[in-house]
Amino acid sequence: MELRFYNTLTNTTEVFHPVHADCVRMYSCGPTVYDFAHIGNFRSFLFADVIRRTLEFFGHRVHHVMNITDVGHMTDDASADGGGEDKMQAAARRMKEDKKSGKVPEGAVQNPDDPYQIARYYTDAFLEDARTLGVKVASEYPENILHATQNIDAMLEMISQLIANGHAYVGPDGVVYYSVESFPAYGRLSGNTLDRLMTGAGGRISDENQANKRHPADFMLWKADSSHIMKWDSPWGAGYPGWHIECSCMARKRLGKDVIDIHTGGEDLIFPHHECEIAQTCGATGQETFARFWMHARFLLVEGEKMSKSKGNFYTVRDVLQGRVKDDKGQPTGVSVHPAVLRLELIKSHYRGNMNFTHKGLIDSAGAVKRLHDFRARLEAATGGQAEAVDLNYPILKDFAAALADDLNIAGALGVILPWAASTPTDPAAALGALNRMNEVLAIAPLQSAGAGQAGANDEQAEVQDLCRQLDDARKRKDFAAADSLRGQIQKRGYDVKTSPAGTIAEKRLA
RNA sequence: GGGGCGGUAGCCAAGUGGCUAAGGCAACGGAUUGCAAAUCCGUCACGCGAGGGUUCGACUCCCUCUCGCCCCUCCA
């Protein structure tokens, strides 16, 4: 089956073929570790994970690499002129407050003034969240998730190469800049060619720094700055690298080729970040192409609005899992969310459309996850867990595959799997085999990783079971007022109550 | 001003020139139940942002308009 992906570089949907036969090489822009990653970040990471799993589903070997941006960049004009406060310093300030207020556990970060400790803290949190949500590459840390701060040598090497090739220069301010005019293809990815760029339209460029550059769009590769919170020796003075150079270097270094297959990120990264990556990599390698396919996920809205801390609709992964999502009355639900539910919620709509994250959507996703879990349980009961291997010609699997092959049509794939999961397949062993294969991509039934936030579950279960026994007693006595009250108590704790002649069972709601 | 992406029922979301416009949730009717939940059966867009055009025929192609989102040196 032919795989087709939409390519930002050409603005068309193209048939995918790997550049090199041995495996597919893909690189995903990962998180900055100055704070917890939020669900919008994770939409993008999960999007990359679905690409990777889809490729594997179709039999490709995939080498997936992601970066961790742990260099402190400036809050203003990070790549252009390095003005403003450093993000690591801002994080340190916040961290001290959080330590005081107890938000950061005692001992988690010994010294907030050490940027490496802050980076470590948020890196660990990111990896934990990513594993919880089934992001495959997170289980390949550290070999396939690279820290910018551990790859400074590669950056210095590439910068030297760029200077030697005439693509970079040292400005009067001592800063090494990339010369966009030396790279005719600049603007091809984003459409922001030099003649069309409206300099300063974003309102974030200061004039004094622009004066040092040959062209207003030239961007920083290295800045000597002895006062910077993180700095390294270089031929251009002790300082720190520009924002874009880390991805160019780490992709090339870890994937081992000058031309890779797929590069992913959020839509905001198209310009300038990815445009600059292309200029750097191609400038250094002399190749015409850096990544064959550039794929971008659109933004996530929360309840129809941009996510922002001031609007109170800003959620991290742990906020959602621990029941801090607000319901339609604006109150946190207090009901913990199963990781598979959040994973499904963040992958279920097409990546090229905006996604609206809502409490209602989360409940919907919980229903779908539950149906798939129940379906699996039925198939396992019928087969003793013995699945029969099936190939892509198996009817349901074929339709599922066709949807995925068509530019990752997850919603279409769910349209195939959900009605099937309500049916009773004539051959449960083959059906279980098919479900297993589909779950290689979806990873929701089950989600392989152990769920986070399940601590204390045993105590609660025992209490709930006790309430169920009391409820059964009350029903036997025909004391229905007491029975209804007990049922209400169990439901309040986030359980569904199932009554049957065999006795009452409470099932934890997934969201 | 420039470069892109999207607008399908109450909500989420497929389809993309031609059978009656997938699927899920919600809702409603029924079976079941002490009443519920769960489950099962059934109902649920004469319509695809608006208006034109092409066509025997368009949600699907073309044009205009409109709304939303991203970017034009913080950003997933």
Side-chain angles (χ1 to χ4, degrees), chain A residues 6-257:
Chain A
Y6 183 87
N7 189 354
T8 308
L9 194 58
T10 56
N11 294 130
T12 55
T13 303
E14 296 176 47
V15 176
F16 176 81
H17 295 295
V19 179
H20 304 278
D22 61 329
C23 81
V24 176
R25 290 172 174 80
M26 71 180 272
Y27 184 91
S28 297
C29 283
T32 53
V33 285
Y34 320 127
D35 204 345
F36 293 110
H38 53 68
I39 56 174
N41 300 127
F42 268 95
R43 185 205 186 177
S44 170
F45 305 146
L46 249 11
F47 152 66
D49 185 62
V50 169
I51 297 174
R52 183 235 175 108
R53 287 170 176 272
T54 297
L55 288 163
E56 289 175 342
F57 176 84
F58 283 103
H60 291 286
R61 210 164 73 77
V62 180
H63 189 178
H64 187 196
V65 171
M66 186 182 267
N67 66 298
I68 297 242
T69 299
D70 54 356
V71 173
H73 290 289
M74 296 302 164
T75 49
D76 302 322
D77 305 333
S79 57
D81 55 38
E85 185 185 25
D86 185 278
K87 285 180 182 167
M88 274 301 175
Q89 280 171 335
R93 201 160 33 73
R94 214 182 41 243
M95 178 72 73
K96 285 175 193 166
E97 288 163 15
D98 287 352
K99 274 187 83 154
K100 257 189 231 159
S101 70
K103 264 206 270 186
V104 172
E106 203 55 45
V109 176
Q110 298 274 339
N111 176 15
D113 287 320
D114 178 354
Y116 288 95
Q117 289 190 26
I118 291 177
R120 184 76 258 163
Y121 178 73
Y122 289 117
T123 298
D124 288 346
F126 163 73
L127 291 170
E128 185 188 318
D129 290 347
R131 286 174 190 139
T132 299
L133 293 181
V135 176
K136 239 176 168 177
V137 72
S139 61
E140 297 166 355
Y141 180 84
E143 60 268 32
N144 288 330
I145 296 187
L146 277 60
H147 293 263
T149 52
Q150 289 168 17
N151 289 275
I152 301 293
D153 287 352
M155 298 185 217
L156 295 176
E157 193 186 322
M158 188 173 276
I159 294 168
S160 296
Q161 257 175 337
L162 288 170
I163 292 174
N165 292 350
H167 287 294
Y169 61 94
V170 180
D173 50 356
V175 174
V176 184
Y177 291 106
Y178 188 96
S179 169
V180 292
E181 289 162 307
S182 75
F183 187 69
Y186 192 83
R188 188 177 154 211
L189 178 71
S190 61
N192 288 332
T193 49
L194 295 182
D195 55 312
R196 287 201 285 232
L197 271 172
M198 200 182 193
T199 304
R204 298 181 203 124
I205 295 185
S206 57
D207 293 343
E208 63 262 41
N209 290 293
Q210 288 301 90
N212 292 309
K213 298 196 262 181
R214 293 180 188 167
H215 187 282
D218 287 354
F219 55 92
M220 182 184 121
L221 296 173
W222 188 267
K223 179 170 182 169
D225 181 351
S226 56
S227 68
H228 192 257
I229 190 166
M230 294 168 116
K231 55 180 181 287
W232 297 266
D233 285 332
S234 89
W236 314 282
Y240 63 98
W243 170 41
H244 313 300
I245 192 77
E246 64 181 64
C247 292
S248 286
C249 292
M250 294 193 288
R252 187 186 188 189
K253 180 176 165 184
R254 187 70 190 100
L255 291 170
K257 298 282 182 193

Side-chain angles (χ1 to χ4, degrees), chain A residues 467-468 470-492 495 497 499 504:
Chain A
L467 287 170
C468 286
Q470 292 180 42
L471 192 151
D472 282 336
D473 285 347
R475 293 187 73 233
K476 264 183 214 143
R477 295 194 310 270
K478 298 209 188 285
D479 183 352
F480 296 125
D484 289 349
S485 153
L486 285 161
R487 182 164 60 206
Q489 286 180 45
I490 301 169
Q491 285 170 336
K492 222 178 202 165
Y495 285 76
V497 179
T499 308
T504 296

Side-chain angles (χ1 to χ4, degrees), chain A residues 43 50 54 57 340-351 355 361-362 364-373 375 396-423 435 437-445:
Chain A
R43 185 205 186 177
V50 169
T54 297
F57 176 84
V341 173
L342 179 55
R343 178 176 168 96
L344 178 63
E345 179 64 14
L346 292 177
I347 65 174
K348 76 180 179 188
S349 68
H350 193 93
Y351 72 92
M355 165 180 285
L362 214 49
D364 277 11
S365 293
V369 169
K370 183 175 184 313
R371 178 181 290 196
L372 291 175
H373 283 185
F375 184 53
I396 286 292
L397 206 48
K398 194 175 180 178
D399 295 342
F400 180 86
L404 282 181
D406 179 17
D407 196 28
L408 302 176
N409 186 352
I410 290 281
L414 291 170
V416 171
I417 194 173
L418 286 170
W420 176 61
S423 70
L435 179 63
R437 294 220 49 191
M438 296 186 214
N439 201 52
E440 287 167 20
V441 178
L442 299 175
I444 53 178

